[in-house]
Amino acid sequence: MMTRTRSAYVGSLALLILLFLLPRVGSAQEAKKFYTLQESVAEAISNSWDIRQIEQRIYQAEYLKKQARADFLPRLGMTYTALYSDEPEAFPVPGGAAGPFVTSKDYYEWQGTLTQPIFTGFSLLSSYELAKLGIDQAQIQLEQAGLELALRVKEGYFDILGADKTVEVGQKDVEARESAYKVASSFYKVGMIPINELLQAEVELANSKQALVRAEIAARTARAAFNTILARPVNEPFDIQDILTYKPSGGDYESFVKEALANRPEIRAVENRLLQADQQIRLAKSKYYPEIAFNYDYIKDGDSFDVSGFPGDEDTGRWEATAVATWTFWQWGKTYYSMKEQESAKKELFQAKWALDDQIRLEVKEAMLALEREEKNIPTTQKAVEQGEENLRVSSERYKAQVTTITEVLDAQTRLSQARLNYYRALYDHNLARARLEKAIGTY
């Protein structure tokens, strides 16, 4: 009776522990994330450290614009002077009729200054426009980084699919070679085949297992690399959606080129730099003009540190308003050569833009040809798989009837495995070629 009670107690305790663990197991399974291709791109852009860096550059450019805007506004400043001498000095008394007033050895002065630039030869305006264009440039860099990251994600995504299919094909290859080895072993035991056929089957089986191990490691490596692209822990488990369909390519070369020249951030980056070059030229030309500023100063002095005046004249406060024009009109051609330097830099940008146009046209053409090539390969490789399966079936039947050797069966299996790999490679390469075409025309 006690044994039954103890057994019931242990059983109840085990059930409670199991019920306690079940939610944890379920949550662990739910934690394994599933990605589609577009979800992968979205998460990579959301998590990317490179994207975060460029966002900081946008903030920096905005702060530069605010600095440039502050240069238009009046500036306030002050100076405080303390003078000590071993002999008494004569200092003018503001508003006094008696001329200089001889005071003690100490002299103190406080001066507050307001300075408002009136005209700077357009240098302030050019600096402000350059700062605004700097924000645009950083935003273009952000867009370009997003395009490049999206392509990296897609490459990693299809690397995983290809690696998984290599494992799948490898597993089927091992199973088929194990089956061939068992048949050869049975034939050898009854003396129907020589030892070298059995050894050949055994060697091919060992090679197939080694290839499967390499494929499994490659698949794990591809997943680790994909996690890194998405800024996830390198060992974090996940699944992705397989893509076993393909869409025939559409569109013509000229329409793709037109779209690329309108969308590619590299084109807009050069155009933005051309606008910056215009401002740099105007900034260099600003040295041809005088600079005009308005100054307002309020001054107090005295023989004590609190600048409360001199004995006999307590009111020492006074103000001065001045307009100052400064013009450096001869620097041995420095301003001229500075302007010519910026004009040459602008011409260089035009050359870069034309070269970029040619490069983009070539990228679009290469992507279209790659897409066309893989599209044509898919039906061919698919047919090769069907033929390979039939060839293996016939070879296996012939071997069982002992009208051929094990070599024919092993060769048929090798050709079938290669045909399967070629089919999956063509399928994924077609999707990857489409991704590269999208990147070439500036979309993802």
Side-chain angles (χ1 to χ4, degrees):
M1 184 69 179
M2 184 167 294
T3 303
R4 290 182 180 178
T5 304
R6 184 174 298 172
S7 299
Y9 172 77
V10 172
S12 300
L13 182 61
L15 180 61
L16 288 173
I17 294 174
L18 181 61
L19 291 174
F20 177 75
L21 291 176
L22 277 177
R24 296 174 176 265
V25 174
S27 63
Q29 291 174 346
E30 292 172 359
K32 189 174 183 180
K33 191 152 186 182
F34 180 83
Y35 288 102
T36 64
L37 183 59
Q38 293 304 319
E39 288 171 348
S40 302
V41 172
E43 180 156 334
I45 291 176
S46 175
N47 295 344
S48 170
W49 302 116
D50 293 336
I51 297 293
R52 300 289 84 75
Q53 290 181 55
I54 298 175
E55 286 177 347
Q56 291 301 317
R57 293 177 198 168
I58 294 176
Y59 297 143
Q60 294 164 22
E62 289 174 345
Y63 296 143
L64 283 174
K65 187 188 79 169
K66 292 179 180 179
Q67 293 178 49
R69 184 176 60 192
D71 289 335
F72 288 101
L73 305 177
R75 297 189 297 271
L76 294 173
M78 59 168 286
T79 58
Y80 185 87
T81 304
L83 174 65
Y84 303 97
S85 176
D86 60 348
E87 296 291 339
E89 296 286 341
F91 302 103
V93 178
F101 182 88
V102 178
T103 185
S104 65
K105 301 178 182 180
D106 301 334
Y107 176 75
Y108 301 87
E109 181 184 271
W110 176 87
Q111 178 176 331
T113 302
L114 180 147
T115 302
Q116 173 64 59
I118 304 299
F119 179 71
T120 61
F122 307 108
S123 65
L124 290 182
L125 185 60
S126 295
S127 298
Y128 181 72
E129 291 299 325
L130 281 170
K132 287 171 59 179
L133 291 169
I135 297 176
D136 296 338
Q137 194 74 6
Q139 290 172 337
I140 292 170
Q141 290 174 359
L142 181 65
E143 185 178 344
Q144 184 174 349
L147 274 177
E148 293 173 353
L149 179 59
L151 181 59
R152 285 178 56 208
V153 171
K154 293 177 181 180
E155 289 173 342
Y157 192 96
F158 289 114
D159 280 347
I160 292 174
L161 291 180
D164 286 350
K165 290 303 181 184
T166 302
V167 172
E168 181 182 318
V169 170
Q171 290 170 343
K172 291 180 179 178
D173 192 73
V174 169
E175 291 172 3
R177 294 184 189 278
E178 284 178 342
S179 177
Y181 174 74
K182 289 177 181 178
V183 173
S185 179
S186 298
F187 286 167
Y188 174 72
K189 289 178 181 179
V190 297
M192 294 176 62
I193 62 171
I195 184 64
N196 63 315
E197 282 197 29
L198 178 62
L199 293 176
Q200 185 180 0
E202 189 173 4
V203 168
E204 290 295 330
L205 175 59
N207 291 338
S208 182
K209 288 181 177 180
Q210 291 177 30
L212 177 58
V213 170
R214 288 194 296 269
E216 289 171 342
I217 295 299
R220 290 165 60 187
T221 302
R223 275 177 158 71
F226 191 74
N227 271 330
T228 302
I229 295 173
L230 269 62
R232 285 162 43 92
V234 71
N235 291 324
E236 196 77 11
F238 64 91
D239 284 325
I240 61 175
Q241 182 185 44
D242 200 356
I243 301 176
L244 294 174
T245 58
Y246 73 98
K247 295 184 298 183
S249 58
D252 62 278
Y253 172 72
E254 291 301 330
S255 63
F256 281 145
V257 167
K258 183 178 180 181
E259 189 175 356
L261 296 178
N263 291 344
R264 286 285 289 268
E266 297 96 318
I267 292 289
R268 284 184 281 113
V270 174
E271 291 172 347
N272 190 71
R273 289 172 62 191
L274 284 169
L275 295 176
Q276 290 176 323
D278 289 335
Q279 296 301 325
Q280 292 287 1
I281 292 171
R282 188 164 75 161
L283 189 61
K285 286 181 178 179
S286 68
K287 300 299 181 182
Y288 283 126
Y289 302 96
E291 294 186 2
I292 302 173
F294 170 79
N295 293 331
Y296 176 85
D297 299 296
Y298 183 78
I299 305 167
K300 292 190 69 175
D301 55 6
D303 61 353
S304 61
F305 71 91
D306 59 353
V307 291
S308 56
F310 298 97
D313 187 357
E314 304 299 333
D315 184 13
T316 60
R318 65 186 187 277
W319 61 268
E320 298 175 356
T322 57
V324 180
T326 305
W327 189 15
T328 304
F329 54 85
W330 182 253
Q331 289 184 297
W332 300 96
K334 180 178 180 180
T335 300
Y336 172 79
Y337 295 127
S338 175
M339 180 188 67
K340 299 303 289 184
E341 176 194 2
Q342 298 304 325
E343 289 177 348
S344 176
K346 183 177 179 180
K347 292 177 182 178
E348 179 186 355
L349 286 172
F350 274 117
Q351 305 296 328
K353 184 176 184 297
W354 294 330
L356 183 59
D357 285 355
D358 291 342
Q359 181 62 36
I360 288 175
R361 292 174 186 274
L362 177 60
E363 287 181 17
V364 171
K365 188 65 177 180
E366 289 177 340
M368 289 186 66
L369 291 175
L371 189 61
E372 180 183 350
R373 178 191 65 218
E374 301 307 333
E375 184 176 333
K376 291 179 178 179
N377 282 339
I378 291 173
T380 303
T381 55
Q382 191 172 20
K383 184 66 175 177
V385 171
E386 296 172 0
Q387 293 169 340
E389 290 173 345
E390 179 62 16
N391 182 45
L392 178 60
R393 186 191 68 79
V394 171
S395 297
S396 298
E397 292 299 326
R398 283 166 51 83
Y399 182 64
K400 290 176 182 177
Q402 279 297 285
V403 295
T404 187
T405 65
I406 191 69
T407 302
E408 182 178 325
V409 177
L410 297 176
D411 288 346
Q413 178 59 42
T414 299
R415 286 190 289 270
L416 174 58
S417 295
Q418 188 60 53
R420 285 170 172 165
L421 289 176
N422 290 342
Y423 167 69
Y424 290 124
R425 186 177 297 116
L427 187 63
Y428 297 139
D429 284 351
H430 177 270
N431 283 280
L432 190 54
R434 182 177 296 279
R436 288 178 176 143
L437 177 59
E438 289 172 348
K439 194 264 183 182
I441 62 178
T443 62
Y444 60 85

